[in-house]
Amino acid sequence: MPKVSSGRRRETAAVNALRALLESQDHIVQDIDQRNDFGEDLYVQFTEGREVTGDVIKVQVKGGTSWRRVGGYGVPVKGHAAIWADGNIPVICVVHDPKTERLYWANATEQLLAARRELVLLKSIFVSEQDVLDMHSLDDFVAETRMYVNRYRGNQAMRTQLSEMSGAEFDPSDVVLHFINEHGEDIVFWQCRGEGFATLLHSDLGWVPEYVGPEMLRFERFESQPGLGDVPVLGETILNHAEALWVAACFAATSWARQPAPDRQHADIRADVADNYVQRQILRRLSAEPDLLVRSAAALRVVSHLEPDMADELSELEGDADVVEEALEASRETWSDMSFEAKRLVILYLVDRIVIGAPTDPIDRQIRITWRVPRQPSA
């Protein structure tokens, strides 16, 4: 005859103990169908004065003494790290020890996010033996957990709003910071984990991404406006002093996120970042060197050997007189309205090759452009 495993009995006892405790105070406990079990056993919706609050957590429940560790218990993370850390609902781990007949708890989401900031790969959630969950501590548990739920939910809501405003798509693991200047303009500082640069998005500049690093924050004097004194500049963006202080604080606060990430490989960069960066460098050179396209097209003519695919593409693009005319008139002012074909022809004329470096390099070293015509030395 089939037998029921002792492990199943322990897990059931743990779930029942937690359910009984929570339901004794009118909190709502709902089982998660084990066919849909991705590391959580229960949904818990908190109530207050028997009224539903809308504050919800997910709970991973473990039972038995095998989870015992020095000073407490360990709940394996296994493949649940991303879901527990980046989901829309925080995850709490609860352990039931049949020897003490007590429940113990820990905030798995909080621990995973803290470990991520320290670039630590957490393999288990530590549940302290000091964090007992019983009738005496239940009110404190509910208050602390609800506070975390609201902070977590508020942060997610703000990220969603900033994403809708700027058109950027933030990954759950990205660090996204927000500033409103004295003119009511929104600025977003966006740091992806493992990237050696950050992205600055400014509402007054049409949310066009500026890829920046701490080494790019500087002070300049403009001869045309000597009364301004030292003006803070980040990349190509002029800031006021309050914005500069905020950006400097953002760089300091996110230095950990620019360190190598375990899941980022060498020569790995987002395609949109590479495209935007190359286009900005092209426009910068076109502004500084009006005859650059003519010189670059001439340099391309004397190349002894072109890759067959490139030669075919160049021949097709140059076979359309309208595309050639549009490309040769490329400038910062016309770029946004140019056709894809004309932009592509400009890139073929100007760029010999692009080499992608390590993800943690600053943006100008991570994306290295070899131009057909080298830059002219500054006067």
Side-chain angles (χ1 to χ4, degrees):
M1 295 289 289
K3 294 183 178 180
V4 176
S5 69
S6 59
R8 183 176 184 276
R9 186 171 64 249
R10 287 192 294 268
E11 298 297 329
T12 301
V15 169
N16 289 342
L18 178 60
R19 181 195 304 278
L21 175 64
L22 293 170
E23 290 184 344
S24 71
Q25 299 301 305
D26 297 317
H27 301 298
I28 300 169
V29 181
Q30 179 181 350
D31 289 321
I32 295 176
D33 191 329
Q34 293 307 296
R35 291 173 297 180
N36 300 316
D37 180 10
F38 295 99
E40 302 97 21
D41 298 296
L42 303 171
Y43 283 111
V44 176
Q45 184 165 189
F46 295 115
T47 61
E48 186 173 355
R50 294 189 175 181
E51 292 187 2
V52 176
T53 64
D55 294 338
V56 178
I57 60 171
K58 292 188 287 188
V59 184
Q60 167 75 76
V61 184
K62 294 295 184 185
T65 58
S66 61
W67 314 108
R68 184 76 193 181
R69 303 291 185 270
V70 176
Y73 305 83
V75 178
V77 174
K78 296 183 178 179
H80 307 309
I83 297 173
W84 288 2
D86 300 324
N88 293 324
I89 301 174
V91 176
I92 303 297
C93 288
V94 174
V95 176
H96 177 255
D97 189 331
K99 285 191 174 181
T100 64
E101 296 187 349
R102 283 184 164 185
L103 296 164
Y104 306 86
W105 74 280
N107 188 327
T109 299
E110 187 174 41
Q111 286 192 26
L112 286 164
L113 292 176
R116 177 184 290 169
R117 288 191 293 271
E118 299 298 325
L119 301 178
V120 174
L121 184 62
L122 207 61
K123 294 184 178 181
S124 65
I125 303 301
F126 178 68
V127 182
S128 172
E129 61 187 7
Q130 303 300 317
D131 291 323
V132 178
L133 182 55
D134 57 18
M135 284 299 298
H136 299 292
S137 62
L138 182 58
D139 287 347
D140 289 339
F141 164 79
V142 171
E144 182 177 339
T145 307
R146 286 186 63 194
M147 184 181 298
Y148 186 83
V149 167
N150 281 281
R151 187 182 70 181
Y152 188 81
R153 182 168 56 204
N155 182 53
Q156 296 292 82
M158 176 59 74
R159 290 164 66 96
T160 300
Q161 183 178 1
L162 293 175
S163 177
E164 292 173 350
M165 287 168 53
S166 65
E169 295 185 7
F170 305 125
D171 188 83
S173 64
D174 295 345
V175 181
V176 182
L177 304 172
H178 179 228
F179 180 83
I180 301 176
N181 66 18
E182 61 188 283
H183 306 293
E185 299 160 350
D186 294 279
I187 308 175
V188 175
F189 182 98
W190 173 17
Q191 178 68 63
C192 296
R193 287 183 62 235
E195 288 187 344
F197 58 90
T199 303
L200 195 72
L201 302 166
H202 199 307
S203 63
D204 192 48
L205 302 177
W207 299 113
V208 176
E210 173 89 4
Y211 305 111
V212 295
E215 72 284 351
M216 299 169 68
L217 183 59
R218 63 195 186 279
F219 288 86
E220 292 187 2
R221 285 182 176 269
F222 295 93
E223 295 181 1
S224 59
Q225 295 178 293
L228 292 178
D230 292 330
V231 177
V233 178
L234 181 64
E236 298 182 3
T237 303
I238 297 175
L239 307 173
N240 62 34
H241 285 271
E243 292 169 344
L245 288 172
W246 174 75
V247 167
C250 289
F251 280 128
T254 58
S255 60
W256 63 270
R258 288 187 291 280
Q259 300 303 310
D263 56 346
R264 293 296 300 274
Q265 300 298 316
H266 181 75
D268 172 32
I269 191 169
R270 289 177 286 141
D272 61 318
V273 171
D275 289 345
N276 286 337
Y277 179 81
V278 170
Q279 290 184 34
R280 289 180 76 96
Q281 298 309 305
I282 285 174
L283 295 178
R284 182 180 293 178
R285 285 208 65 185
L286 289 176
S287 297
E289 305 170 54
D291 63 342
L292 178 62
L293 274 168
V294 174
R295 291 188 292 123
S296 295
L300 183 59
R301 297 282 175 264
V302 299
V303 174
S304 59
H305 176 72
L306 289 176
E307 294 292 333
D309 290 345
M310 181 179 175
D312 291 344
E313 183 181 13
L314 184 63
S315 176
E316 180 180 350
L317 292 172
E318 290 189 325
D320 188 324
D322 291 336
V323 169
V324 174
E325 181 180 2
E326 186 181 6
L328 292 176
E329 293 178 352
S331 68
R332 191 181 294 273
E333 291 72 27
T334 64
W335 187 263
S336 61
D337 296 324
M338 287 173 54
S339 66
F340 170 82
E341 291 77 12
K343 290 180 180 178
R344 181 61 186 158
L345 184 56
V346 169
I347 293 171
L348 291 176
Y349 281 158
L350 298 184
V351 177
D352 181 22
R353 64 182 178 276
I354 297 172
V355 177
I356 304 299
T360 52
D361 282 345
I363 188 72
D364 58 340
R365 292 209 304 269
Q366 188 174 160
I367 304 175
R368 287 168 286 180
I369 303 172
T370 300
W371 303 95
R372 295 200 186 280
V373 175
R375 291 181 185 273
Q376 294 180 341
S378 301

